[in-house]
Amino acid sequence: LIFILLIIIAAIFAPFVAPYNPDKINVNAILQPPSFAHILGTDQLGRDVFSRLIYGARISVEVGFISVSISLFIGIIIGAFAGYYAGLTDAFLMRFVDIMLTFPSFFLILAVSAILRPSIINIMIIIGLTSWMGVARIIRAEYMQNREKDYVLSAKAAGASDLYIMFIEILPNVVAPILVSATLGVAGAILIQASLAFLGIGIMPPTPSWGGMLSRGKTYIMVAWWLTLFPGIAILLTVLSFNLVGEALRNALDPRYSPAENVSD
């Protein structure tokens, strides 16, 4: 959690944290190894790697949170209607979810990204529109468990509308799995964005992104190892941190989950 907070703070205050302009080319400092002047070295154009990592964090954090917000919005809406009304509504919506799940999400993202104009906004929208299915299933299951509970029946008896019951009464009681899903979703979105940038899709140069830095650094891996090592470590630690926080939230918020049983398994 501390590492995630540091990444977010560095992303927000990147102009004050980064020691150099991330796009400034310096032909006198091409492929310099880590030193006091450039703590993580320089790239093939003499740009400071540390500064580009800081600005790259902006892209990763922005894509992670906004794309997950989109997927949560869609997943909550579909899952709530399916779980609350059940019957034909549930059957129709869940078959739609099943159809979406038949498409490999990453290849679907690749296909759509190749059609649309490459931009960070398109990447966020594409990831959000192709990653809501798991959220919908989780929300559906929670609504099915809650729709017959006393507080819901009391709201119905008081004349509350279905929308009021779904989003004012039930939704606050299923926040725990939403938080867990959101945390893990951010990690997935960051990894997808880095993968797309590595393949040259989405975030285009000279905008710094961790995946793009990793992709361009592989050309010089035999002579400039730092170009691939440090972006790779940044991706690894950020995704791992979000996954660990998500796991911790599940342990703390889900009463049905027993860490001891999980270890024994």
Side-chain angles (χ1 to χ4, degrees), residues 1-6 8 65 176-187 236-254 257:
L1 184 59
I2 293 173
F3 183 81
I4 291 173
L5 292 175
L6 289 175
I8 294 174
F65 282 100
I178 293 176
L179 287 176
V180 175
S181 180
T183 306
L184 298 175
V186 171
L236 170 65
L237 293 181
T238 303
V239 172
L240 179 61
S241 296
F242 275 105
N243 280 329
L244 291 177
V245 170
E247 183 74 12
L249 284 174
R250 186 179 69 163
N251 295 348
L253 300 176
D254 190 350
Y257 178 77

Side-chain angles (χ1 to χ4, degrees), residues 135-155:
V135 178
R137 284 179 171 271
I138 293 172
I139 298 301
R140 168 184 175 267
E142 294 294 328
Y143 268 70
M144 283 187 164
Q145 293 179 2
N146 282 268
R147 64 177 181 166
E148 299 299 334
K149 290 187 176 180
D150 291 342
Y151 74 93
V152 175
L153 299 177
S154 298

Side-chain angles (χ1 to χ4, degrees), residues 43-57:
D43 65 6
Q44 67 277 11
L45 297 177
R47 297 172 298 188
D48 184 65
V49 173
F50 178 69
S51 299
R52 292 183 64 79
L53 277 181
I54 295 298
Y55 275 85

Side-chain angles (χ1 to χ4, degrees), residues 31-145:
L31 295 180
Q32 286 189 355
S35 63
F36 289 110
H38 301 278
I39 59 174
L40 299 184
T42 61
D43 65 6
Q44 67 277 11
L45 297 177
R47 297 172 298 188
D48 184 65
V49 173
F50 178 69
S51 299
R52 292 183 64 79
L53 277 181
I54 295 298
Y55 275 85
R58 277 187 161 184
I59 301 294
S60 296
V61 170
E62 190 174 354
V63 169
F65 282 100
I66 294 180
S67 60
V68 165
S69 298
I70 295 172
S71 67
L72 283 179
F73 177 78
I74 299 173
I76 289 172
I77 296 295
I78 292 179
F81 275 89
Y84 183 79
Y85 287 110
L88 291 177
T89 303
D90 176 48
F92 174 77
L93 292 176
M94 286 301 103
R95 295 302 74 76
F96 176 62
V97 171
D98 291 339
I99 292 173
M100 290 295 296
L101 287 172
T102 60
F103 298 99
S105 59
F106 187 73
F107 292 104
L108 182 61
I109 292 172
L110 282 177
V112 178
S113 300
I115 296 173
L116 297 179
R117 182 175 63 86
S119 70
I120 183 173
I121 295 177
N122 286 340
I123 290 297
M124 292 186 292
I125 294 174
I126 292 168
I127 295 176
L129 292 179
T130 55
S131 58
W132 54 267
M133 292 79 76
V135 178
R137 284 179 171 271
I138 293 172
I139 298 301
R140 168 184 175 267
E142 294 294 328
Y143 268 70
M144 283 187 164
Q145 293 179 2

